[in-house]
Amino acid sequence: MASAAVGNELECFLCRCIYRDPVNLECGDKFCQECIETLLDSQEKSATYSCPECNKKFRSRPALYKNTALRSKLQNFLSDEPEVKSEFTCTQCFHASVPAVKYCLLCEAFLCDNHLNIHCKSLEHIITDPSTSPEERKCSVHNKLLQYYCIEDSVCVCVSCFANGEHTGHHIESLKEASVKKRVQLSHILQNLITHREEIEKTAESLQKSLIKVQEKATNETKRVSTLLNYIRIQINELEKKVHGEIYSHAERLSFSNQMQNLESKKNELSRKIQQIEELCNVTDELSVLQESDIGNLYYGDGTDNNGSNYMHLHSDRDLDIAGILQALHSDLSDIFTGIQVYFQVYESADIVLNLNTAGNFLTVSNDGKMASWSFYQKYTSTPERFHYPQVLSMKSFCSGRHYWELDAGESRSWIAGMCYHSIDRKTFPYSTIGKNNKSWGLYKVGNQYSVLHDSKDIQIASNISTNRFRIYLDYRAGQLSFYALCDPMKHLYTFKATFTEPLHAALWLGENSCIRISAVAGSFGKSE
């Protein structure tokens, strides 16, 4: 078809065919004159007129303006079109075999260009492509042309179907009028689908950008970790050399070498005296033996008693200072890992203690401030800080840094754990509850279902988590509050992102018969107020 060759430029928006007598509306959109008049006729019943393409509204039936430029363009295009080759021949050309370009369903005749121009233009004569099967355009009951559309049954019918058939009394429209309306509906559906596709494309593009950022961050973090580990290796190697040197240096300072030389010298002296005595004992001349004058010097040696005990215990008060060496090693290792913490901005564990003055009358708090339990009415002294509901805050608050704390909920089936501003409402139900306002963020459990709460928005995240222990991370400067389940391995549940404007307190809300214990974690609390 010609319309397929030129695309949308010469196609009517309504019939999707090449323009026939193109006209313009006031908005500038172009249509076949017959197509737009049929549509305006259908809109006349509701007295509401609009352009099917741009949806512009008109107070009254809009005027139609002939588009001479488009008509001229159409003539040029049609004159340049190659000759249509068809396996069908015109049934009106009796003296020659002329290819047919159209088929009239009413006349059941194939038409060439010449006979098409002089053919009857009334609505009863339905013109189609010559390849269309005539049997498909006829009523299967009355064997007549399908010229109308039953709105109630959404089927095409012939004149006999609504005149005296099963569609008698139904709302009937001509095929032209019904097809124009359906094309308008389809155009709206198409526009909605296009809009929806564009939204999906934008979302996909956004996700792609996020993925690229995550990959870039992963690459940077990998490089940073590699750099740090290389630094640690260098420091450990240098520390190993240093400790080895300290050990050998300390061993040398014990001066065992001088003592060994002295002992060797005395051993040689004793060997000499032993030899002299042995020689004297072997002398047979009694007079020579008795006349030996150095027998006293031969018997006693310098620096030792008869048993030589001083020589045996010379080293008893000398040893390596192992305790001092290990203390120096620990100090150097501490310096290395302090540098690692600064480099990575490691999260510090928080020593959370619950503030009894904030606890609602349906809560009890343990003496150490580490456990909160739901209870019957406690009649606490009224304070401005106290909640009217089973909720409690921590003593300390966070205004900077990175921190984490842990909790054990045991078999409790209903609870909320999170963080909030000190300025959170204490009395108004349910808006004072953690997560039911814009001043608090919480992890909520009810039954086996888990969700996160903020500003009364509930987002379900998981169910049947295989642990009762959880960890909450706060990165105040980055504006991130994260929740993790302490299963094996640790599972990330959700991360809130916000711009924190006040110090944050740890916060707990407990349902009936629930109990939560703050887990003991090693480390310092960090900066707080």
Side-chain angles (χ1 to χ4, degrees):
M1 293 179 63
S3 58
V6 295
N8 295 331
E9 184 181 2
L10 300 178
E11 277 188 3
C12 173
F13 179 79
L14 294 174
C15 67
R16 299 300 179 184
C17 296
I18 291 181
Y19 289 109
R20 301 184 305 278
D21 298 326
V23 293
N24 285 10
L25 290 177
E26 295 176 8
C27 58
D29 291 321
K30 304 176 286 294
F31 307 93
C32 298
Q33 184 171 349
E34 183 180 358
C35 293
I36 191 61
E37 284 181 346
T38 302
L39 177 64
L40 294 176
D41 289 342
S42 66
Q43 294 179 347
E44 190 172 0
K45 298 175 183 177
S46 61
T48 301
Y49 299 95
S50 63
C51 173
E53 186 168 356
C54 68
N55 294 321
K56 180 179 179 180
K57 306 295 183 183
F58 302 102
R59 294 183 179 180
S60 58
R61 182 169 179 137
L64 302 178
Y65 305 93
K66 290 187 177 183
N67 193 320
T68 55
L70 182 56
R71 294 188 181 206
S72 176
K73 191 172 185 179
L74 280 170
Q75 290 177 355
N76 294 334
F77 170 75
L78 294 175
S79 63
D80 293 338
E81 276 223 295
E83 181 181 354
V84 177
K85 295 182 180 180
S86 174
E87 58 180 315
F88 305 99
T89 58
C90 177
T91 55
Q92 307 297 316
C93 295
F94 301 105
H95 304 292
S97 179
V98 180
V101 295
K102 293 293 179 182
Y103 180 79
C104 177
L105 293 172
L106 180 63
C107 302
E108 296 184 352
F110 292 100
L111 304 171
C112 64
D113 280 328
N114 291 332
H115 286 101
L116 178 63
N117 292 332
I118 61 176
H119 194 75
C120 180
K121 298 296 192 297
S122 65
L123 295 178
E124 291 81 5
H125 293 263
I126 301 175
I127 305 299
T128 66
D129 290 330
S131 60
T132 303
S133 174
E135 297 302 322
E136 295 178 358
R137 306 299 297 263
K138 288 185 178 182
C139 175
S140 60
V141 177
H142 304 101
N143 198 30
K144 293 184 178 181
L145 288 178
L146 299 173
Q147 296 177 285
Y148 302 94
Y149 183 76
C150 178
I151 296 177
E152 296 181 22
D153 297 329
S154 300
V155 294
C156 296
V157 298
C158 69
V159 64
S160 296
C161 289
F162 72 86
N164 50 22
E166 60 178 305
H167 299 278
T168 302
H170 291 185
H171 186 189
I172 303 296
E173 290 183 340
S174 68
L175 292 182
K176 183 68 174 180
E177 184 179 8
S179 65
V180 168
K181 289 182 179 180
K182 188 167 185 177
R183 285 190 176 95
V184 172
Q185 293 176 353
L186 291 174
S187 68
H188 292 319
I189 294 174
L190 177 63
Q191 188 59 47
N192 290 335
L193 293 176
I194 292 174
T195 301
H196 186 51
R197 184 180 65 181
E198 290 174 349
E199 292 174 354
I200 292 176
E201 289 174 348
K202 289 180 181 179
T203 303
E205 183 179 355
S206 177
L207 289 176
Q208 182 65 26
K209 291 180 179 178
S210 299
L211 176 61
I212 292 174
K213 289 182 180 179
V214 169
Q215 291 174 338
E216 290 177 350
K217 186 174 182 180
T219 301
N220 293 335
E221 287 300 315
T222 301
K223 292 180 180 178
R224 198 157 72 104
V225 169
S226 298
T227 301
L228 179 63
L229 292 177
N230 186 53
Y231 163 79
I232 293 174
R233 291 189 195 98
I234 295 173
Q235 295 297 314
I236 293 296
N237 290 336
E238 292 181 354
L239 181 59
E240 181 182 16
K241 294 177 182 178
K242 177 182 176 182
V243 173
H244 289 175
E246 289 287 340
I247 293 173
Y248 287 117
S249 175
H250 189 71
E252 290 177 358
R253 289 197 296 270
L254 294 177
S255 301
F256 281 147
S257 59
N258 293 333
Q259 295 179 30
M260 290 294 293
Q261 290 177 1
N262 292 333
L263 289 174
E264 186 68 25
S265 176
K266 290 184 180 296
K267 186 184 76 169
N268 294 334
E269 177 66 19
L270 290 173
S271 297
R272 184 183 61 78
K273 291 181 178 182
I274 289 171
Q275 183 180 3
Q276 290 180 1
I277 292 174
E278 287 177 344
E279 290 176 353
L280 185 63
C281 290
N282 292 327
V283 174
T284 58
D285 184 7
E286 292 84 356
L287 182 63
S288 299
V289 172
L290 294 175
Q291 288 180 339
E292 174 60 48
S293 60
D294 284 340
I295 190 169
N297 291 334
L298 290 174
Y299 185 76
Y300 297 103
D302 296 335
T304 182
D305 58 17
N306 293 339
N307 297 322
S309 60
N310 285 349
Y311 298 128
M312 296 296 292
H313 298 284
L314 280 173
H315 69 284
S316 61
D317 59 344
R318 293 176 178 273
D319 201 353
L320 287 174
D321 184 11
I322 300 298
I325 293 172
L326 291 179
Q327 183 62 37
L329 176 62
H330 180 271
S331 177
D332 289 338
L333 287 173
S334 297
D335 291 342
I336 292 174
F337 285 102
T338 298
I340 295 173
Q341 287 185 330
V342 172
Y343 186 79
F344 267 105
Q345 295 182 325
V346 176
Y347 284 87
E348 296 180 350
S349 59
D351 184 16
I352 298 295
V353 177
L354 302 175
N355 185 356
L356 180 60
N357 290 331
T358 66
N361 287 313
F362 289 93
L363 281 185
T364 57
V365 177
S366 61
N367 291 334
D368 62 359
K370 295 292 186 178
M371 185 171 69
S373 305
W374 184 92
S375 68
F376 291 104
Y377 197 77
Q378 294 296 307
K379 294 184 180 180
Y380 290 129
T381 303
S382 178
T383 66
E385 294 181 310
R386 192 173 304 286
F387 287 97
H388 282 203
Y389 306 98
Q391 194 159 287
V392 64
L393 303 185
S394 63
M395 296 282 290
K396 295 180 179 180
S397 62
F398 303 86
C399 62
S400 64
R402 293 179 170 186
H403 314 274
Y404 72 92
W405 56 283
E406 297 177 1
L407 62 95
D408 189 338
E411 300 301 321
S412 301
R413 293 181 58 81
S414 178
W415 51 266
I416 306 174
M419 309 200 78
C420 69
Y421 295 147
H422 187 271
S423 61
I424 186 175
D425 181 63
R426 310 298 171 105
K427 300 179 180 180
T428 308
F429 182 81
Y431 303 109
S432 60
T433 307
I434 303 170
K436 296 292 186 179
N437 49 72
N438 61 2
K439 295 187 176 183
S440 59
W441 299 258
L443 172 65
Y444 177 36
K445 178 188 179 185
V446 56
N448 293 323
Q449 182 63 51
Y450 292 84
S451 60
V452 289
L453 295 171
H454 174 63
D455 202 12
S456 297
K457 296 177 182 177
D458 188 333
I459 303 174
Q460 292 189 356
I461 55 174
S463 60
N464 295 322
I465 294 176
S466 60
T467 182
N468 296 318
R469 297 179 59 243
F470 300 87
R471 181 178 291 180
I472 300 175
Y473 283 91
L474 169 67
D475 188 336
Y476 192 95
R477 182 176 181 181
Q480 293 184 348
L481 183 64
S482 302
F483 298 89
Y484 287 81
L486 293 180
C487 28
D488 188 17
M490 188 166 69
K491 180 180 181 181
H492 174 249
L493 300 177
Y494 193 82
T495 295
F496 285 109
K497 294 185 178 181
T499 301
F500 299 127
T501 57
E502 301 178 33
L504 287 165
H505 290 264
L508 298 175
W509 174 92
L510 298 178
E512 188 173 354
N513 299 324
S514 294
C515 175
I516 287 182
R517 171 169 287 280
I518 306 299
S519 301
V521 287
S524 60
F525 183 77
K527 185 177 181 180
S528 63
E529 62 174 31

